[in-house]
Amino acid sequence: MHTATQRPSRIGARDHLIGAALTAAYVAVLLATSSTLGMARDEGFYVEAAESYAGWWRLFLSGDESAFDQATIDRFWTVNHEHPSLPKSLFALSYLAHERFDLFSNDSAAFRFPGMVMSGLVLWILYLFGARAYSRHVGLFAASAYALIPTVFYHAHLDCFDGPIVTMLTWVTYLYWRSLTEPRFAVLGGIAYGLCLETKHNAWILPLVLLVHFVGFVVPAELAARRAGARPKISLRPNWLIGFALLGPPIFLALWPWLWSDTIQRFGEYAGFHLNHVHYNTEFLGTTYFGAPSPTSFPWVETLFTVPLVTVALGVLGIVVRFRAMLPPGTLRIWPARADGSSIGPDAQRTDALLFGAMLAPMVVLSMPWTPIFGGNKHFLVAFANLAIFAGIASQYVLHAVRAELKEARPRWLPVAFPAVFLALLAPSIHETEHSHPFGLSHYTFMAGGPPGAADLGMMRQFWGFTTGSLAPWFNAHAPEGSSVWLCDTIPTSFEMLHRDALLRRDIRAAYDMGSADYAIVHHETHFNEVDYQIWMSWGRPAPVHVLTYDGVPIVSVYENPHR
Amino acid sequence: MHRAWLLFLPLAFIELVGSLVVRARVPAEGDWHLAADHIAAEWAEGDEVTVAPRWADPLLRQALGASMGDAFTNELAAPAGLEGRTRLWVVSIRGRNSALTPNGAPEHVESFGRVRVERYALGGRPLLFDFVDAIEAAEGSRGDRACTRTTGRASGGGLGAGPVLAPSRLSCGGEMVAETVIEDLHFEARRCIAQHPVSGDPVVLRFPEATLGELLMVHAGLHWVDERMLEGSPVTLTVRAGETEIGTITHHDGDGWATYPLTVPPESRGAQVVSFEVTSEQSAGRSFCWAARALGGAP
């Protein structure tokens, strides 16, 4: 059997150019499609935070020394202190640049742009990681397959942290991997880990994953190799960990002014928020969960139902073919190498075990019955990024098989084998991602029977009230002048962004009292049925005047007050 | 061996075509309206309508609202039960069937595009009196104090705010009794009378001009948030005709929207003053709500 992947001899500027092109192209598509995506609930919170932080950045950039007074810092940085400041600072700086230079088509794009760039950068890293570890084909396929997961595409648009943290986690993992053979990368790894900590709390568990890999796989393998007479390849000193420890916390603190005073108490407050996180209502396979125990199958089924089937299948097969290389040192004797030398074995950095562990870790954490239900798959998108690398590996086997067939039957077609296979394997992903926009959170793949099949199965249809923006055209066309809308799960800031972006008529305003509103909307999540029934009682009429659907599945109902 | 990898190519094709087929099979909005127009044209007193799958309910309500106007009421959208109904319309898509669909063949079947409409004759006991419908005529008391009727506008609303009461309410020493629609333990809409247990003297609700038959079908439950933890005190509803106790039901957390048939003794049938009293050891978080229908003899 052909091992299919072979590390390229040299990764250089051309590869960085490819990585940069992938990122640039993705960000361009995100920017071009952003205006049809209304702001989600949490985006509104981060706009509020970014606008507040922008106030501090104005002082700082103008050289005003009061920017460093605790009272000033607290005034601007206290808002949304349950999350670190790096992405929100970038949102703020982007907005300040937009204010000054009119860079974007609307304000939402200005806030979102740093999130898009941070999310897009993972494609560059995935390409490099895949190319260095396996082949350029693997890197290219991995980056493309990850970019073309509908929920990834959705989250990559937002002024939130879920796309950026995937990039940071993948970058740190990549630099750790590089530092095993090139210790100088430990310095960059430490810097990256500080930025990762400053992006989102998902960073907390990464050192543990890397430590397991280092202590359980890398060190024993290196010691065994040295005992067998090989020259040292890996430093047994955990340079990466030293880099993380020395550089990570200072960078984390330095970039978050809110922590500059009462540091321990405030850090405790920040950590406590996440360690005691509330359970969100989550519908999963027909049951609405609202507390522990969480369903163990949640991340696995979500992966199966939200990642295109071909990508999942390729990823699983990629893991299978590389499985021998993932075995812990000392266990390879249970799976002896073939005499012809065709067996796949581990490299010195134990790359396969690292990627597999990085994929598995967030899913295992979220499978624990005591882990709060956060909802959706956004907390383990990084697993998809690692799965995409294994999918890239398997895709190369497909290409080899096609080439082997063509070599005998149609040798003239060999030159188009690569683009043809590449496109064929990604065609479902391209189609589903294109179709899912702007309903990325409501999208389920063919494995679930699409959105209608997922609704039959009792899967969560949305969260964050992200679909209100899709109602703007209806309200613009139907609402009388001066109408008010009760907003259900959309916060006022997110609604206001529709005005700022000129997507919604200015005279249509938010209502805070359901009974006196002219319209009321309900985002269809099962536990929100309560709101439907409240409207029926308030207005004495159970029929919505408009139902926003996605593939025939109700997403938002709009009610009109008959007494207005 | 390498040929097995080629299977990914047809797999990609199947996934792509499968996704397109899913989209192509989505019923058009016009199909729902045609179905609703048909139902509205054939609608008769005593009819009820349901939809399968349940997630399509907003689509049916939108279409029926457009076709039936104000005749499509909360009573139809949030039925307490099917007793007393004469016919059931089952509107379905995707080949799904409603849990309410009776055994036997439908008396009428018609498809409108991808929306299927079936009508079943229910043929149950005749409805003599609906207590939720008669709430406006009800009187209440708490201890020796009579409840007073207040009318305003419905207020409240929002996730976690609980059921909204109808504008017309009985105020009973700070406790309100009124028609509402609750979200039951399984998220279904249930039109009922919110009568919560209180500490001290219980609220007693009287229907001075009720009519009882052989059977009194009582349904009861709590707003799902109050019942889902399974740790609240049981709630008891006692029903009397004049001074005669017809029956007592006890609702435990986890029962959900439950049905309690009470056989009415012969001497209590006919015109009666019927009263309902709700008690529990706990008053907080006991958003008890009930509905009752008096039914005649079996056909």
Side-chain angles (χ1 to χ4, degrees):
Chain A
M1 182 178 167
H2 199 290
T3 55
T5 62
Q6 197 166 24
R7 285 190 184 183
S9 54
R10 183 179 165 79
I11 295 293
R14 190 184 65 167
D15 295 286
H16 283 285
L17 207 59
I18 293 171
L22 284 167
T23 297
Y26 199 53
V27 172
V29 173
L30 294 172
L31 261 181
T33 52
S34 170
S35 65
T36 52
L37 189 63
M39 272 213 165
R41 178 185 181 81
D42 280 26
E43 286 190 279
F45 292 132
Y46 305 143
V47 164
E48 288 170 11
E51 290 193 312
S52 182
Y53 300 176
W56 185 87
W57 280 106
R58 280 193 196 96
L59 281 183
F60 175 77
L61 294 171
S62 67
D64 189 329
E65 289 184 3
S66 72
F68 294 97
D69 295 344
Q70 185 178 342
T72 308
I73 288 171
D74 288 352
R75 183 177 140 217
F76 289 111
W77 290 91
T78 298
V79 60
N80 196 245
H81 61 257
E82 60 267 32
H83 291 294
S85 68
L86 176 61
K88 288 173 287 182
S89 284
L90 297 175
F91 305 157
L93 291 169
S94 173
Y95 180 65
L96 289 176
H98 174 60
E99 264 190 340
R100 179 146 186 194
F101 302 111
D102 196 19
L103 298 172
F104 300 97
S105 58
N106 55 46
D107 287 358
S108 286
F111 286 112
R112 285 172 166 173
F113 183 68
M116 296 177 190
V117 173
M118 287 184 82
S119 301
L121 282 169
V122 78
L123 306 186
W124 192 339
I125 299 165
L126 277 176
Y127 171 73
L128 289 181
F129 208 159
R132 280 189 189 278
Y134 303 101
S135 72
R136 291 190 174 93
H137 172 109
V138 171
L140 191 60
F141 191 91
S144 306
Y146 177 73
L148 292 169
I149 295 170
T151 44
V152 166
F153 185 69
Y154 169 76
H155 286 291
H157 280 89
L158 310 185
D159 56 301
C160 290
F161 324 132
D162 303 295
I165 192 62
V166 175
T167 303
M168 302 309 294
L169 292 169
T170 308
W171 189 32
V172 172
T173 305
Y174 172 71
L175 292 171
Y176 156 80
W177 178 76
R178 297 288 307 269
S179 76
L180 295 176
T181 51
E182 300 165 85
R184 64 196 167 94
F185 279 94
V187 176
L188 198 50
I191 295 169
Y193 187 62
L195 297 175
C196 188
L197 281 171
E198 189 52 22
T199 299
K200 204 177 177 196
H201 63 281
N202 305 43
W204 297 348
I205 63 165
L206 184 59
L208 190 63
V209 176
L210 302 182
L211 195 63
V212 168
H213 177 255
F214 187 75
V215 174
F217 291 80
V218 176
V219 170
E222 176 68 11
L223 288 174
R226 289 185 188 183
R227 277 197 298 270
R231 63 179 181 82
K233 280 187 178 173
I234 307 274
S235 168
L236 295 176
R237 191 175 58 202
N239 297 308
W240 60 277
L241 192 56
I242 296 167
F244 283 16
L246 291 180
L247 296 171
I251 290 171
F252 172 70
L253 285 175
L255 292 179
W256 195 354
W258 182 71
L259 286 180
W260 291 352
S261 57
D262 302 329
T263 303
I264 293 174
Q265 183 257 325
R266 290 187 177 192
F267 180 80
E269 196 179 322
Y270 158 61
F273 177 85
H274 298 285
L275 294 172
N276 305 297
H277 201 281
V278 296
H279 289 259
Y280 294 144
N281 284 287
T282 299
E283 189 182 10
F284 176 69
L285 293 177
T287 300
T288 293
Y289 292 86
F290 52 85
S294 306
T296 301
S297 61
F298 180 79
W300 314 93
V301 174
E302 278 279 323
T303 300
L304 191 63
F305 284 178
T306 59
V307 179
L309 174 61
V310 171
T311 302
V312 174
L314 284 169
V316 170
L317 262 290
I319 290 166
V320 169
V321 297
R322 301 294 306 181
F323 194 71
R324 187 171 180 274
M326 294 174 201
L327 293 174
T331 60
L332 273 178
R333 69 176 75 96
I334 65 169
W335 190 341
R338 289 192 187 128
D340 63 3
S342 66
S343 297
I344 290 170
D347 57 359
Q349 292 143 292
R350 297 281 163 157
T351 307
D352 298 278
L354 174 63
L355 293 171
F356 187 60
M359 185 194 83
L360 222 51
M363 299 183 74
V364 168
V365 169
L366 288 164
S367 296
M368 295 297 109
W370 53 82
T371 303
I373 300 175
F374 294 108
N377 56 19
K378 71 191 183 80
H379 295 281
F380 53 96
L381 293 179
V382 70
F384 299 171
N386 291 290
L387 181 74
I389 295 182
F390 288 111
I393 292 167
S395 75
Q396 195 152 351
Y397 281 87
V398 178
L399 178 62
H400 278 286
V402 169
R403 279 190 169 143
E405 292 295 314
L406 291 179
K407 199 176 282 181
E408 293 173 12
R410 298 269 194 282
R412 279 185 309 156
W413 291 6
L414 275 172
V416 297
F418 169 70
V421 168
F422 204 86
L423 275 177
L425 294 178
L426 289 176
S429 301
I430 294 167
H431 163 69
E432 296 210 34
T433 302
E434 183 276 327
H435 176 60
S436 71
H437 189 73
F439 293 102
L441 280 185
S442 305
H443 185 78
Y444 288 90
T445 63
F446 174 64
M447 269 307 282
D456 285 344
L457 291 167
M459 298 298 286
M460 178 170 53
R461 220 169 295 170
Q462 62 187 314
F463 57 91
W464 276 350
F466 80 107
T467 39
T468 302
S470 298
L471 288 172
W474 188 90
F475 278 117
N476 288 336
H478 294 88
E481 189 171 349
S483 296
S484 61
V485 185
W486 188 86
L487 293 172
C488 194
D489 201 26
T490 301
I491 65 167
T493 306
S494 300
F495 186 75
E496 174 57 21
M497 291 308 292
L498 297 174
H499 287 148
R500 288 172 67 172
D501 295 346
L503 296 175
L504 184 71
R505 282 178 12 219
R506 277 270 172 196
D507 61 285
I508 299 171
R509 59 205 159 77
Y512 301 97
D513 173 52
M514 178 190 285
S516 59
D518 297 317
Y519 293 91
I521 63 175
V522 181
H523 298 94
H524 289 300
E525 295 184 60
T526 314
H527 65 287
F528 276 17
N529 286 1
E530 166 186 6
V531 180
D532 271 301
Y533 311 154
Q534 291 166 349
I535 296 168
W536 302 0
M537 285 309 302
S538 293
W539 297 349
R541 181 182 285 184
V545 291
H546 177 62
V547 180
L548 178 74
T549 60
Y550 174 51
D551 282 354
V553 176
I555 301 296
V556 189
S557 283
V558 181
Y559 292 89
E560 187 176 60
N561 188 343
H563 313 299
R564 68 185 172 82
Chain B
M1 177 62 188
H2 73 266
R3 284 193 159 179
W5 290 101
L6 297 174
L7 291 173
F8 276 97
L9 298 175
L11 179 66
F13 181 76
I14 290 167
E15 184 178 10
L16 183 61
V17 172
S19 300
L20 293 169
V21 169
V22 166
R23 288 168 64 182
R25 294 176 64 183
V26 170
E29 186 179 336
D31 295 347
W32 288 99
H33 284 286
L34 288 173
D37 287 346
H38 174 72
I39 293 169
E42 301 285 320
W43 193 261
E45 182 72 22
D47 281 5
E48 183 54 89
V49 61
T50 190
V51 65
R54 288 298 300 161
W55 56 260
D57 187 49
L59 299 167
L60 178 67
R61 282 187 282 107
Q62 180 198 6
L64 285 175
S67 300
M68 296 175 67
D70 289 341
F72 182 60
T73 59
N74 288 348
E75 183 183 359
L76 295 172
L82 284 182
E83 60 278 352
R85 300 290 184 214
T86 49
R87 302 191 305 179
L88 177 68
W89 295 88
V90 179
V91 183
S92 63
I93 58 172
R94 301 170 58 76
R96 295 294 186 271
N97 206 354
S98 167
L100 296 177
T101 305
N103 293 326
E107 61 180 17
H108 173 80
V109 179
E110 197 160 347
S111 289
F112 301 88
R114 295 189 176 277
V115 177
R116 179 181 170 90
V117 175
E118 297 175 350
R119 192 182 67 221
Y120 293 84
L122 294 175
R125 295 168 182 267
L127 176 66
L128 301 179
F129 192 83
D130 186 320
F131 287 85
V132 183
D133 286 349
I135 182 69
E136 285 298 310
E139 301 164 350
S141 62
R142 187 173 176 187
D144 56 4
R145 285 180 300 170
C147 304
T148 55
R149 187 161 289 281
T150 65
T151 304
R153 72 175 181 85
S155 60
L159 185 64
V164 167
L165 302 182
S168 176
R169 305 163 188 179
L170 284 171
S171 176
C172 307
E175 183 63 29
M176 294 292 182
V177 177
E179 176 193 336
T180 190
V181 173
I182 67 162
E183 180 181 24
D184 76 13
L185 193 58
H186 298 101
F187 309 100
E188 299 285 340
R190 303 297 182 183
R191 177 174 170 262
C192 51
I193 294 171
Q195 185 179 352
H196 305 164
V198 292
S199 55
D201 292 329
V203 173
V204 178
L205 193 62
R206 287 185 200 79
F207 293 80
E209 297 177 351
T211 302
L212 292 180
E214 283 184 8
L215 195 64
L216 182 66
M217 194 66 84
V218 179
H219 301 271
L222 281 78
H223 176 52
W224 82 291
V225 170
D226 294 331
E227 191 174 346
R228 65 181 184 176
M229 299 306 290
L230 310 179
E231 56 191 22
S233 298
V235 183
T236 299
L237 175 72
T238 304
V239 186
R240 296 186 181 86
E243 298 303 315
T244 306
E245 186 173 308
I246 301 293
T248 295
I249 63 143
T250 301
H251 185 281
H252 298 85
D253 280 7
D255 288 349
W257 185 251
T259 303
Y260 307 89
L262 300 178
T263 303
V264 179
E267 63 274 19
S268 296
R269 295 173 191 166
Q272 289 285 352
V273 176
V274 180
S275 63
F276 295 80
E277 180 180 311
V278 176
T279 56
S280 176
E281 287 181 5
Q282 173 189 345
S283 57
R286 301 285 78 194
S287 54
F288 187 76
C289 202
W290 62 268
R293 283 180 183 151
L295 303 173

